[in-house]
C-alpha cells in the first residue's frame, strides 16, 4: 500500500482548486450580468455542480490510487485525468487574468494611498467596466486550451507525424552516407483498447514501413506494465521490417515495476514472456550488448543498453558491458531509453558515442512546438526532451513517443515516427 498524502497537503490543494473556481465563477457572473436572474441561477448551479462533481471524483481517484494494492494506472483514472484536465487548464487560464487584475488594482490602491489620492464614483464605474472587459478577454483566451485539449483527447493522440532528421558526422563510414533509420519509442500498447485504436495503430505501423528505411529501431516501453498487454497486437507489430533488421531495447515500464505481483517468480515469468514477444515480432532485443551492422565491407556498431534513468528510475543499463566488444575506432549508435543516461554518462563517456537515440519523455504529451517557440513542462525535468541535441560533439535524438500514458491525449506534442538520415561531412556548408 502506498503512503497516503498528508491531510494538510490535501486541504491546501483543494483550497487552491476552490479559489480558482471562485475566480472563474466571479468572471462568469460579470459576463452574464445582463441576463435574467433565473438564467444566471441556472448557470451558477450548473457551474458549481460540475466543479463539485469533478472535485469529489478527483479526491476519490487519488485515494483509490494511493490505496490500490495492485499498483498501475487504471483506465478509469486515465479517463478522469483527461476530463479533469479539459476543464482545469482553461479555468486556470481564466482565473490568472482575474487574479492578475486584482493584484494590479491592489498595487494601484496602495500607490494611491501613499500619494494621498482619493477614489471617486467614476473610478469605481471604470473598474467595473474594465472587469467585464478583462473577463471577456479571459474567457476568449481560455477557449484556446479547451479546444486544444479536446482535440488532443479525440484526434491528437493519433496525429502521427513523420519527422525527418539529417545528422552529419565527419567520420561516418563512406558506405553509410545516406543510411536511414526509422525510430519508434514508447508504444505503451496497454493504453490502446478499442477497435478505433487498433485501426489507427495499424495505419501508423504501415506509415513507418512506408518510409522504407535501411534499419528499424525501437527505444523502449513496449507495454505499460505486463507482457500480456501485447497479446492482441503481436500480428500488427510483426509487420515492421527493414533490410538491415529490427532492433529494440527495454524502457522503464517494460520491467513490470509499477504493479504488484503475487510472487517474484510471477514477475520473472512476465519478463521472460516479454523477451519472447520481442522475438515473436521480429525485434532483436539488445540488453547491454552490441551488434555490427555491415554494408559493403564497412560497419557501424549498434549498441543497446537496458534502462538507466536519473532519480527513482531503474538503473540497470551498463554501458561498459554493452561496449565490451566494440572497437574504440568504430562508428557508434547507442539505443538508450532515457535521455538522462546521455546527460549523466554518455555525453562524457571515455569512448566517443556518435549518436544516441532515446525516448521516455513523451514531450509530456503537452506543449507547444512552433517555429519560434518550443515548450513543454517536461523540460524542467529533462533539458533534452524532444528532437536533436549536441553535447561535447556527441549527438542525441529524443523521440516524442508513439503512444500515451495516464493522460489519454496529445496536445501540441504529436506522436512521432522518426526517420534519421546519416550523412558524412559537416552540417555547416
Amino acid at each position: 500500500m502506498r503512503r497516503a498524502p498528508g491531510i494538510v497537503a490535501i486541504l491546501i490543494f483543494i483550497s487552491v482548486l476552490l479559489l480558482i473556481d471562485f475566480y472563474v465563477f466571479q468572471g462568469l457572473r460579470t459576463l452574464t450580468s445582463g441576463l435574467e436572474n433565473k438564467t444566471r441561477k441556472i448557470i451558477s448551479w450548473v457551474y458549481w455542480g460540475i466543479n463539485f462533481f469533478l472535485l469529489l471524483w478527483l479526491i476519490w481517484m487519488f485515494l483509490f490510487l494511493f490505496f490500490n494494492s495492485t499498483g498501475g494506472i487504471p483506465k478509469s483514472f486515465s479517463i478522469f485525468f483527461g476530463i479533469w484536465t479539459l476543464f482545469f487548464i482553461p479555468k486556470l487560464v481564466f482565473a490568472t487574468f482575474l487574479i492578475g487584475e486584482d493584484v494590479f488594482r491592489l498595487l494601484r490602491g496602495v500607490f494611491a494611498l501613499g500619494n494621498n489620492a482619493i477614489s471617486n464614483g467614476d473610478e469605481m464605474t471604470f473598474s467595473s467596466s474594465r472587469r467585464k472587459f478583462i473577463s471577456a478577454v479571459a474567457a476568449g483566451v481560455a477557449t484556446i486550451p479547451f479546444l486544444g485539449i479536446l482535440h488532443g483527447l479525440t484526434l491528437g493522440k493519433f496525429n502521427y507525424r513523420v519527422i525527418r532528421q539529417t545528422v552529419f558526422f565527419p567520420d561516418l563510414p563512406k558506405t553509410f552516407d545516406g543510411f536511414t533509420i526509422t525510430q519508434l519509442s514508447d508504444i505503451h500498447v496497454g493504453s490502446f483498447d478499442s477497435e478505433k485504436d487498433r485501426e489507427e495503430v495499424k495505419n501508423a505501423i504501415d506509415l513507418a514501413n512506408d518510409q522504407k528505411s535501411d534499419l528499424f529501431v525501437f527505444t523502449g516501453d513496449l507495454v505499460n506494465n505486463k507482457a500480456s498487454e501485447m497479446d492482441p497486437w503481436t500480428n500488427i507489430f510483426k509487420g515492421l521490417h527493414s533490410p538491415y533488421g529490427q532492433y529494440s531495447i527495454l524502457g522503464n515500464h517494460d520491467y513490470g515495476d509499477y504493479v504488484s505481483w503475487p510472487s517474484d517468480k510471477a514477475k520473472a515469468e512476465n519478463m521472460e514472456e516479454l523477451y519472447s514477444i520481442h522475438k515473436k515480432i521480429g525485434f532483436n532485443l539488445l540488453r547491454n550488448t552490441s551488434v555490427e551492422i555491415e554494408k559493403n565491407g564497412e560497419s557501424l556498431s549498434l549498441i543497446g543498453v537496458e534502462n538507466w534513468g536519473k532519480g527513482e528510475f531503474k538503473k540497470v543499463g551498463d554501458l561498459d558491458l554493452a561496449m565490451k566488444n566494440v572497437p574504440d575506432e568504430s562508428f557508434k549508435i547507442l539505443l538508450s531509453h532515457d535521455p538522462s543516461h546521455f546527460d549523466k554518462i554518455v555525453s562524457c563517456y571515455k569512448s566517443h558515442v556518435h549518436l544516441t537515440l532515446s525516448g521516455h519523455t513523451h514531450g509530456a504529451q503537452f506543449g507547444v512546438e512552433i517555429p519560434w517557440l518550443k515548450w513543454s513542462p517536461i523540460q524542467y525535468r529533462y533539458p533534452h526532451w524532444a528532437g536533436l541535441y549536441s553535447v561535447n560533439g556527441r549527438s542525441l535524438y529524443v523521440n516524442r513517443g508513439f503512444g500515451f500514458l495516464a493522460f489519454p491525449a496529445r496536445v501540441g506534442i504529436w506522436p512521432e515516427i522518426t526517420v534519421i538520415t546519416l550523412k558524412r561531412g559537416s552540417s555547416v556548408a
Side-chain angles (χ1 to χ4, degrees):
M1 186 170 67
R2 294 179 177 88
R3 181 181 177 184
I7 187 66
V8 174
I10 292 175
L11 290 176
I12 292 173
F13 182 61
I14 292 174
S15 298
V16 171
L17 293 182
L18 290 176
L19 178 64
I20 292 171
D21 286 336
F22 172 77
Y23 264 96
V24 175
F25 178 68
Q26 293 303 314
L28 290 177
R29 294 282 293 175
T30 301
L31 289 173
T32 59
S33 58
L35 301 177
E36 295 181 357
N37 284 337
K38 183 178 180 180
T39 303
R40 296 183 78 196
K41 285 182 179 179
I42 292 174
I43 292 173
S44 297
W45 278 102
V46 171
Y47 175 81
W48 284 112
I50 291 174
N51 282 291
F52 277 120
F53 172 74
L54 289 174
L55 180 60
L56 291 174
W57 196 5
L58 176 69
I59 294 170
W60 185 86
M61 288 305 301
F62 270 108
L63 289 175
F64 175 79
L65 281 182
F66 276 107
F67 293 102
N68 176 20
S69 61
T70 60
I73 300 175
K75 184 70 175 178
S76 58
F77 180 82
S78 183
I79 294 171
F80 163 75
F81 188 39
I83 295 173
W84 186 79
T85 304
L86 176 66
F87 288 98
F88 174 72
I89 299 298
K91 286 193 299 182
L92 180 62
V93 171
F94 196 124
T96 299
F97 275 83
L98 302 186
I99 292 172
E101 199 245 353
D102 278 353
V103 170
F104 173 78
R105 284 201 295 171
L106 176 63
L107 293 175
R108 190 182 62 180
V110 171
F111 179 80
L113 287 173
N115 288 274
N116 297 318
I118 300 174
S119 299
N120 55 41
D122 292 337
E123 174 65 20
M124 295 301 293
T125 301
F126 171 74
S127 295
S128 175
S129 173
R130 182 180 62 211
R131 187 72 166 188
K132 191 165 188 175
F133 171 75
I134 290 176
S135 295
V137 171
V141 175
T143 301
I144 297 173
F146 180 84
L147 294 177
I149 295 169
L150 184 63
H151 172 268
L153 288 166
T154 54
L155 302 175
K157 60 187 177 183
F158 299 121
N159 188 21
Y160 296 101
R161 299 291 180 91
V162 176
I163 296 183
R164 303 181 187 280
Q165 182 69 62
T166 300
V167 192
F168 292 83
F169 302 96
D171 55 347
L172 179 71
K174 291 181 180 179
T175 193
F176 287 95
D177 188 18
F179 192 82
T180 54
I181 304 170
T182 288
Q183 178 194 8
L184 295 184
S185 191
D186 301 271
I187 292 172
H188 289 288
V189 292
S191 297
F192 300 109
D193 59 4
S194 70
E195 192 58 38
K196 175 179 169 25
D197 292 353
R198 187 176 183 83
E199 182 179 344
E200 295 284 0
V201 170
K202 185 180 184 306
N203 290 339
I205 295 302
D206 289 342
L207 180 60
N209 271 329
D210 289 344
Q211 305 314 305
K212 301 186 184 303
S213 291
D214 296 303
L215 179 70
F216 172 82
V217 298
F218 172 67
T219 48
D221 279 359
L222 183 62
V223 299
N224 291 352
N225 295 295
K226 297 182 178 181
S228 58
E229 296 168 19
M230 270 296 292
D231 290 348
W233 300 97
T234 302
N235 288 335
I236 289 178
F237 286 97
K238 192 184 293 184
L240 285 164
H241 54 81
S242 64
Y244 287 84
Q246 301 77 241
Y247 293 89
S248 61
I249 57 171
L250 299 174
N252 56 298
H253 278 268
D254 293 320
Y255 295 92
D257 289 340
Y258 306 126
V259 292
S260 297
W261 298 91
S263 65
D264 291 341
K265 180 183 177 183
K267 185 177 181 181
E269 289 173 347
N270 176 75
M271 283 307 305
E272 290 300 323
E273 178 60 23
L274 189 64
Y275 300 151
S276 174
I277 286 171
H278 276 255
K279 192 172 182 179
K280 285 179 185 176
I281 61 179
F283 287 8
N284 297 290
L285 182 61
L286 302 178
R287 299 173 56 204
N288 294 327
T289 189
S290 66
V291 295
E292 294 296 305
I293 306 297
E294 297 183 352
K295 181 182 179 184
N296 298 333
E298 293 187 297
S299 68
L300 58 79
S301 297
L302 182 65
I303 306 149
V305 294
E306 297 206 38
N307 192 78
W308 193 103
K310 68 178 180 180
E312 71 280 9
F313 289 109
K314 183 180 284 289
K315 295 176 177 63
V316 288
D318 189 334
L319 189 54
D320 288 336
L321 178 60
M323 297 270 282
K324 185 177 180 180
N325 298 315
V326 177
D328 190 59
E329 67 277 7
S330 175
F331 185 90
K332 307 173 193 68
I333 297 176
L334 172 67
L335 308 182
S336 181
H337 178 68
D338 191 321
S340 64
H341 186 222
F342 175 86
D343 297 336
K344 300 292 185 181
I345 295 177
V346 181
S347 62
C348 54
Y349 191 67
K350 58 188 177 183
S351 181
H352 185 82
V353 178
H354 298 74
L355 173 63
T356 300
L357 302 179
S358 298
H360 181 63
T361 71
H362 300 207
Q365 300 167 209
F366 188 98
V368 179
E369 285 194 275
I370 52 181
W372 49 273
L373 178 62
K374 180 179 178 180
W375 176 88
S376 168
I378 200 69
Q379 71 189 50
Y380 303 113
R381 178 172 173 85
Y382 295 97
H384 302 132
W385 58 275
L388 183 66
Y389 304 90
S390 180
V391 179
N392 297 332
R394 305 171 190 211
S395 297
L396 165 71
Y397 189 88
V398 184
N399 181 288
R400 294 160 180 83
F402 182 93
F404 52 89
L405 183 70
F407 180 49
R410 286 271 183 170
V411 182
I413 307 293
W414 313 119
E416 176 178 352
I417 297 166
T418 311
V419 177
I420 293 175
T421 301
L422 306 179
K423 291 294 292 181
R424 182 178 172 88
S426 172
S427 60
V428 180

